[in-house]
Amino acid sequence: MRKTILVGVEDLPHSDDALVWAAQAAAQRGAALRLVNATGIPTVAIDLLYDDGIIQGAATLLEKATARVAEIAPTVPVTSDIDRRQPAEALSDLAKDAELLVIGTHRMSAVERVFSGSLSYQIAAGAPCPVVIVPHLPAPDAAGVVVGADGSADSLDAV
């Protein structure tokens, strides 16, 4: 059975960086890529009225993401899914069948942190496989590796 890398896909710039990173990682590992857009369950009556539009938008987004992967890593097999659950729940659950889960992130304002919390933290805490959080891709001429160290034995081992 082929290894699979799961990628959360949104219509935001940081999501594209995660998609690019995941496509490159899949090509290097000989893995397949599974793209998922979690739309969330409609909870307000007005959402139900626009449900078809939400699904069509998600399908269009996944088609564009699939085409982007084909540009970056043409040999990587790609599947895509629309999941009706909230993103943290959907990606954490779907990750049980994945070798790796990749998501994008962006810097949040203080207000966003208070009212919504960090989706990437929720996913990382709930996922049963390793999670890669891609804030943005480095410049093409970037070199080196950054390792966080706090002086603990684990961080020194990482260094």
Side-chain angles (χ1 to χ4, degrees):
M1 184 173 187
R2 175 169 253 171
K3 300 177 276 189
T4 301
I5 295 176
L6 179 66
V7 186
V9 178
E10 297 179 277
D11 193 15
L12 297 169
H14 64 267
S15 180
D16 187 61
D17 286 344
L19 180 67
V20 169
W21 191 96
Q24 293 169 341
Q28 292 168 354
R29 295 169 185 230
L33 211 51
R34 182 176 181 190
L35 313 179
V36 176
N37 178 255
T39 61
I41 299 169
T43 56
V44 179
I46 197 156
D47 287 342
L48 295 172
L49 296 174
Y50 295 104
D51 192 51
D52 289 342
I54 292 168
I55 297 303
Q56 183 55 50
T60 300
L61 173 64
L62 289 171
E63 287 170 11
K64 288 179 182 177
T66 299
R68 180 90 165 107
V69 171
E71 292 172 8
I72 299 161
T75 61
V76 172
V78 180
T79 58
S80 63
D81 296 296
I82 298 170
D83 196 296
R84 303 304 303 263
R85 296 175 286 177
Q86 295 297 321
E89 178 188 0
L91 294 172
S92 296
D93 181 51
L94 295 171
K96 69 181 179 290
D97 298 323
E99 174 188 13
L100 187 66
L101 170 57
V102 181
I103 56 173
T105 190
H106 67 285
R107 190 172 299 270
M108 296 174 69
S109 70
V111 173
E112 288 175 311
R113 284 192 303 272
V114 168
F115 288 107
S116 66
S118 171
L119 181 60
S120 56
Y121 289 154
Q122 293 171 32
I123 292 169
C129 69
V131 176
V132 175
I133 301 171
V134 181
H136 59 82
L137 292 176
D141 61 346
V145 176
V146 176
V147 179
D150 62 4
S152 68
D154 288 338
S155 72
L156 295 177
D157 286 345
V159 172

